[in-house]
Short mmCIF file of all heavy atoms in Angstrom, two decimals:
data_model
loop_
_atom_site.label_atom_id
_atom_site.label_comp_id
_atom_site.label_asym_id
_atom_site.label_seq_id
_atom_site.Cartn_x
_atom_site.Cartn_y
_atom_site.Cartn_z
N THR A 96 -15.89 10.85 11.11
CA THR A 96 -14.47 10.53 10.92
C THR A 96 -14.21 9.05 11.11
O THR A 96 -13.52 8.40 10.31
CB THR A 96 -13.61 11.35 11.91
OG1 THR A 96 -13.85 12.74 11.72
CG2 THR A 96 -12.13 11.04 11.72
N MET A 97 -14.77 8.48 12.16
CA MET A 97 -14.59 7.04 12.43
C MET A 97 -15.21 6.20 11.33
O MET A 97 -14.62 5.18 10.92
CB MET A 97 -15.23 6.69 13.78
CG MET A 97 -15.10 5.24 14.18
SD MET A 97 -15.71 4.94 15.85
CE MET A 97 -17.40 5.51 15.69
N PHE A 98 -16.37 6.61 10.84
CA PHE A 98 -17.08 5.88 9.79
C PHE A 98 -16.23 5.74 8.53
O PHE A 98 -16.33 4.75 7.81
CB PHE A 98 -18.38 6.61 9.48
CG PHE A 98 -19.22 5.96 8.43
CD1 PHE A 98 -19.95 4.82 8.71
CD2 PHE A 98 -19.28 6.48 7.14
CE1 PHE A 98 -20.74 4.21 7.74
CE2 PHE A 98 -20.07 5.89 6.17
CZ PHE A 98 -20.79 4.75 6.46
N ILE A 99 -15.36 6.71 8.28
CA ILE A 99 -14.53 6.69 7.07
C ILE A 99 -13.14 6.12 7.34
O ILE A 99 -12.60 5.35 6.55
CB ILE A 99 -14.42 8.12 6.50
CG1 ILE A 99 -15.79 8.63 6.07
CG2 ILE A 99 -13.45 8.16 5.31
CD1 ILE A 99 -15.84 10.09 5.73
N ALA A 100 -12.55 6.48 8.49
CA ALA A 100 -11.15 6.14 8.74
C ALA A 100 -10.93 4.65 9.01
O ALA A 100 -9.93 4.07 8.55
CB ALA A 100 -10.62 6.96 9.92
N VAL A 101 -11.82 4.01 9.74
CA VAL A 101 -11.62 2.60 10.11
C VAL A 101 -11.62 1.68 8.88
O VAL A 101 -10.70 0.87 8.70
CB VAL A 101 -12.66 2.15 11.15
CG1 VAL A 101 -12.53 0.65 11.43
CG2 VAL A 101 -12.48 2.93 12.44
N PRO A 102 -12.62 1.76 7.98
CA PRO A 102 -12.55 0.90 6.79
C PRO A 102 -11.39 1.26 5.86
O PRO A 102 -10.85 0.38 5.19
CB PRO A 102 -13.90 1.14 6.10
CG PRO A 102 -14.38 2.44 6.60
CD PRO A 102 -13.89 2.52 8.01
N SER A 103 -10.99 2.54 5.85
CA SER A 103 -9.83 2.93 5.04
C SER A 103 -8.58 2.22 5.53
O SER A 103 -7.77 1.71 4.74
CB SER A 103 -9.63 4.45 5.09
OG SER A 103 -10.74 5.13 4.55
N ALA A 104 -8.40 2.18 6.86
CA ALA A 104 -7.25 1.49 7.43
C ALA A 104 -7.30 0.00 7.12
O ALA A 104 -6.28 -0.61 6.76
CB ALA A 104 -7.21 1.72 8.94
N ALA A 105 -8.48 -0.60 7.24
CA ALA A 105 -8.62 -2.03 6.94
C ALA A 105 -8.24 -2.34 5.50
O ALA A 105 -7.55 -3.33 5.21
CB ALA A 105 -10.06 -2.48 7.23
N GLY A 106 -8.68 -1.48 4.59
CA GLY A 106 -8.35 -1.68 3.18
C GLY A 106 -6.87 -1.55 2.89
O GLY A 106 -6.29 -2.35 2.13
N LEU A 107 -6.23 -0.55 3.48
CA LEU A 107 -4.79 -0.35 3.25
C LEU A 107 -3.97 -1.51 3.82
O LEU A 107 -2.98 -1.94 3.21
CB LEU A 107 -4.34 0.97 3.87
CG LEU A 107 -4.74 2.25 3.13
CD1 LEU A 107 -4.29 3.48 3.90
CD2 LEU A 107 -4.18 2.27 1.72
N ILE A 108 -4.37 -2.00 4.98
CA ILE A 108 -3.64 -3.13 5.57
C ILE A 108 -3.78 -4.37 4.70
O ILE A 108 -2.81 -5.10 4.46
CB ILE A 108 -4.16 -3.40 7.00
CG1 ILE A 108 -3.76 -2.24 7.93
CG2 ILE A 108 -3.62 -4.72 7.53
CD1 ILE A 108 -4.40 -2.30 9.30
N ALA A 109 -5.00 -4.62 4.21
CA ALA A 109 -5.25 -5.82 3.41
C ALA A 109 -4.56 -5.77 2.05
O ALA A 109 -4.12 -6.80 1.53
CB ALA A 109 -6.76 -6.00 3.23
N LEU A 110 -4.45 -4.58 1.46
CA LEU A 110 -3.98 -4.44 0.08
C LEU A 110 -2.65 -3.69 -0.03
O LEU A 110 -2.33 -3.15 -1.08
CB LEU A 110 -5.04 -3.71 -0.76
CG LEU A 110 -6.43 -4.35 -0.81
CD1 LEU A 110 -7.41 -3.44 -1.54
CD2 LEU A 110 -6.37 -5.72 -1.49
N ALA A 111 -1.88 -3.68 1.05
CA ALA A 111 -0.67 -2.86 1.08
C ALA A 111 0.29 -3.14 -0.08
O ALA A 111 0.59 -2.25 -0.88
CB ALA A 111 0.05 -3.05 2.43
N ASP A 112 0.78 -4.37 -0.19
CA ASP A 112 1.75 -4.70 -1.23
C ASP A 112 1.18 -4.51 -2.65
O ASP A 112 1.85 -3.92 -3.51
CB ASP A 112 2.28 -6.12 -1.06
CG ASP A 112 3.31 -6.21 0.06
OD1 ASP A 112 3.59 -5.17 0.69
OD2 ASP A 112 3.83 -7.31 0.31
N PRO A 113 -0.04 -5.01 -2.94
CA PRO A 113 -0.58 -4.81 -4.28
C PRO A 113 -0.74 -3.33 -4.67
O PRO A 113 -0.49 -2.96 -5.81
CB PRO A 113 -1.94 -5.51 -4.22
CG PRO A 113 -1.83 -6.50 -3.13
CD PRO A 113 -0.91 -5.88 -2.12
N ILE A 114 -1.15 -2.49 -3.72
CA ILE A 114 -1.31 -1.07 -4.01
C ILE A 114 0.03 -0.43 -4.32
O ILE A 114 0.18 0.33 -5.28
CB ILE A 114 -2.00 -0.35 -2.84
CG1 ILE A 114 -3.47 -0.77 -2.75
CG2 ILE A 114 -1.91 1.16 -3.00
CD1 ILE A 114 -4.20 -0.21 -1.55
N VAL A 115 1.04 -0.73 -3.50
CA VAL A 115 2.38 -0.17 -3.73
C VAL A 115 2.91 -0.61 -5.08
O VAL A 115 3.47 0.18 -5.84
CB VAL A 115 3.34 -0.58 -2.60
CG1 VAL A 115 4.77 -0.13 -2.92
CG2 VAL A 115 2.89 0.03 -1.27
N ALA A 116 2.75 -1.90 -5.39
CA ALA A 116 3.23 -2.41 -6.68
C ALA A 116 2.51 -1.75 -7.85
O ALA A 116 3.13 -1.37 -8.85
CB ALA A 116 3.05 -3.93 -6.73
N LEU A 117 1.19 -1.61 -7.74
CA LEU A 117 0.41 -1.01 -8.81
C LEU A 117 0.85 0.43 -9.08
O LEU A 117 0.98 0.85 -10.24
CB LEU A 117 -1.07 -1.04 -8.44
CG LEU A 117 -2.04 -0.37 -9.43
CD1 LEU A 117 -2.10 -1.14 -10.73
CD2 LEU A 117 -3.44 -0.26 -8.81
N LEU A 118 1.11 1.18 -8.02
CA LEU A 118 1.40 2.61 -8.18
C LEU A 118 2.86 2.90 -8.49
O LEU A 118 3.17 3.81 -9.26
CB LEU A 118 0.98 3.36 -6.92
CG LEU A 118 -0.52 3.40 -6.62
CD1 LEU A 118 -0.77 4.05 -5.26
CD2 LEU A 118 -1.25 4.16 -7.71
N PHE A 119 3.78 2.15 -7.90
CA PHE A 119 5.18 2.57 -7.93
C PHE A 119 6.15 1.60 -8.62
O PHE A 119 7.26 2.02 -8.96
CB PHE A 119 5.68 2.79 -6.49
CG PHE A 119 4.90 3.84 -5.74
CD1 PHE A 119 4.52 3.61 -4.43
CD2 PHE A 119 4.56 5.03 -6.33
CE1 PHE A 119 3.81 4.57 -3.72
CE2 PHE A 119 3.85 6.00 -5.63
CZ PHE A 119 3.48 5.76 -4.33
N GLU A 120 5.80 0.33 -8.81
CA GLU A 120 6.79 -0.65 -9.29
C GLU A 120 7.06 -0.47 -10.78
O GLU A 120 6.51 -1.16 -11.63
CB GLU A 120 6.33 -2.08 -9.02
CG GLU A 120 7.45 -3.10 -9.26
CD GLU A 120 7.00 -4.52 -8.97
OE1 GLU A 120 5.82 -4.73 -8.64
OE2 GLU A 120 7.84 -5.44 -9.06
N ARG A 121 7.94 0.45 -11.06
CA ARG A 121 8.39 0.70 -12.44
C ARG A 121 9.64 1.57 -12.37
O ARG A 121 9.90 2.21 -11.36
CB ARG A 121 7.30 1.38 -13.26
CG ARG A 121 6.79 2.69 -12.72
CD ARG A 121 5.61 3.24 -13.50
NE ARG A 121 4.50 2.32 -13.53
CZ ARG A 121 3.60 2.20 -12.54
NH1 ARG A 121 3.71 2.95 -11.46
NH2 ARG A 121 2.62 1.34 -12.64
N GLY A 122 10.39 1.59 -13.44
CA GLY A 122 11.59 2.43 -13.48
C GLY A 122 12.56 2.06 -12.39
O GLY A 122 12.97 0.90 -12.24
N ALA A 123 12.94 3.06 -11.59
CA ALA A 123 13.93 2.86 -10.54
C ALA A 123 13.37 2.23 -9.27
O ALA A 123 14.11 1.96 -8.33
CB ALA A 123 14.58 4.22 -10.18
N PHE A 124 12.05 1.99 -9.24
CA PHE A 124 11.41 1.45 -8.04
C PHE A 124 11.33 -0.08 -8.19
O PHE A 124 10.52 -0.60 -8.93
CB PHE A 124 10.01 2.05 -7.87
CG PHE A 124 9.53 2.06 -6.45
CD1 PHE A 124 9.79 3.14 -5.62
CD2 PHE A 124 8.82 0.98 -5.94
CE1 PHE A 124 9.34 3.15 -4.31
CE2 PHE A 124 8.36 0.98 -4.63
CZ PHE A 124 8.62 2.08 -3.81
N SER A 125 12.16 -0.79 -7.41
CA SER A 125 12.34 -2.23 -7.57
C SER A 125 11.31 -3.04 -6.79
O SER A 125 10.62 -2.52 -5.91
CB SER A 125 13.74 -2.62 -7.08
OG SER A 125 13.83 -2.41 -5.67
N PRO A 126 11.20 -4.37 -7.06
CA PRO A 126 10.31 -5.24 -6.26
C PRO A 126 10.69 -5.25 -4.79
O PRO A 126 9.81 -5.37 -3.93
CB PRO A 126 10.51 -6.62 -6.90
CG PRO A 126 10.93 -6.33 -8.31
CD PRO A 126 11.76 -5.09 -8.23
N GLU A 127 11.98 -5.15 -4.49
CA GLU A 127 12.41 -5.09 -3.09
C GLU A 127 11.87 -3.83 -2.40
O GLU A 127 11.46 -3.87 -1.24
CB GLU A 127 13.94 -5.11 -3.00
CG GLU A 127 14.58 -6.44 -3.40
CD GLU A 127 14.60 -6.66 -4.92
OE1 GLU A 127 14.43 -5.67 -5.67
OE2 GLU A 127 14.77 -7.82 -5.35
N ALA A 128 11.84 -2.73 -3.15
CA ALA A 128 11.29 -1.49 -2.60
C ALA A 128 9.79 -1.61 -2.36
O ALA A 128 9.26 -1.02 -1.42
CB ALA A 128 11.58 -0.32 -3.55
N VAL A 129 9.11 -2.38 -3.21
CA VAL A 129 7.67 -2.61 -3.03
C VAL A 129 7.41 -3.29 -1.69
O VAL A 129 6.54 -2.88 -0.90
CB VAL A 129 7.10 -3.45 -4.18
CG1 VAL A 129 5.68 -3.91 -3.85
CG2 VAL A 129 7.11 -2.66 -5.48
N VAL A 130 8.15 -4.37 -1.41
CA VAL A 130 7.96 -5.11 -0.17
C VAL A 130 8.28 -4.24 1.05
O VAL A 130 7.52 -4.22 2.04
CB VAL A 130 8.84 -6.38 -0.16
CG1 VAL A 130 8.75 -7.09 1.19
CG2 VAL A 130 8.41 -7.32 -1.28
N ALA A 131 9.37 -3.50 0.97
CA ALA A 131 9.77 -2.65 2.10
C ALA A 131 8.74 -1.54 2.35
O ALA A 131 8.40 -1.25 3.49
CB ALA A 131 11.15 -2.04 1.83
N THR A 132 8.25 -0.94 1.27
CA THR A 132 7.25 0.13 1.41
C THR A 132 5.92 -0.43 1.89
O THR A 132 5.24 0.17 2.73
CB THR A 132 7.07 0.85 0.06
OG1 THR A 132 8.34 1.35 -0.38
CG2 THR A 132 6.09 2.01 0.20
N GLY A 133 5.53 -1.60 1.39
CA GLY A 133 4.28 -2.22 1.81
C GLY A 133 4.27 -2.55 3.30
O GLY A 133 3.26 -2.37 3.99
N SER A 134 5.39 -3.03 3.81
CA SER A 134 5.48 -3.35 5.24
C SER A 134 5.32 -2.09 6.09
O SER A 134 4.64 -2.09 7.12
CB SER A 134 6.83 -4.01 5.55
OG SER A 134 6.97 -5.22 4.84
N ALA A 135 5.94 -0.99 5.64
CA ALA A 135 5.80 0.28 6.36
C ALA A 135 4.36 0.79 6.30
O ALA A 135 3.84 1.34 7.27
CB ALA A 135 6.75 1.31 5.77
N LEU A 136 3.69 0.56 5.16
CA LEU A 136 2.31 1.00 5.01
C LEU A 136 1.38 0.28 5.99
O LEU A 136 0.48 0.90 6.58
CB LEU A 136 1.84 0.78 3.58
CG LEU A 136 0.39 1.15 3.26
CD1 LEU A 136 0.11 2.61 3.59
CD2 LEU A 136 0.07 0.86 1.79
N VAL A 137 1.59 -1.02 6.17
CA VAL A 137 0.77 -1.77 7.13
C VAL A 137 0.96 -1.19 8.54
O VAL A 137 -0.01 -0.97 9.28
CB VAL A 137 1.15 -3.26 7.12
CG1 VAL A 137 0.48 -4.00 8.28
CG2 VAL A 137 0.75 -3.90 5.79
#
């Protein structure tokens, strides 16, 4: 569990905003929502 979970957390923290933008920034999901969601993800 540790072998998988620790690098997963590191990756999500490092790539939070880009991942949120890639997946959700379209339609009704605004750039402001990307920043707010990315901060919560970190």
Side-chain angles (χ1 to χ4, degrees):
T96 302
M97 181 174 58
F98 180 75
I99 297 169
V101 175
S103 298
L107 285 177
I108 291 171
L110 302 174
D112 283 1
I114 289 175
V115 174
L117 177 68
L118 293 174
F119 301 136
E120 191 179 3
R121 58 186 58 82
F124 206 90
S125 67
E127 291 76 17
V129 169
V130 174
T132 303
S134 299
L136 178 57
V137 170

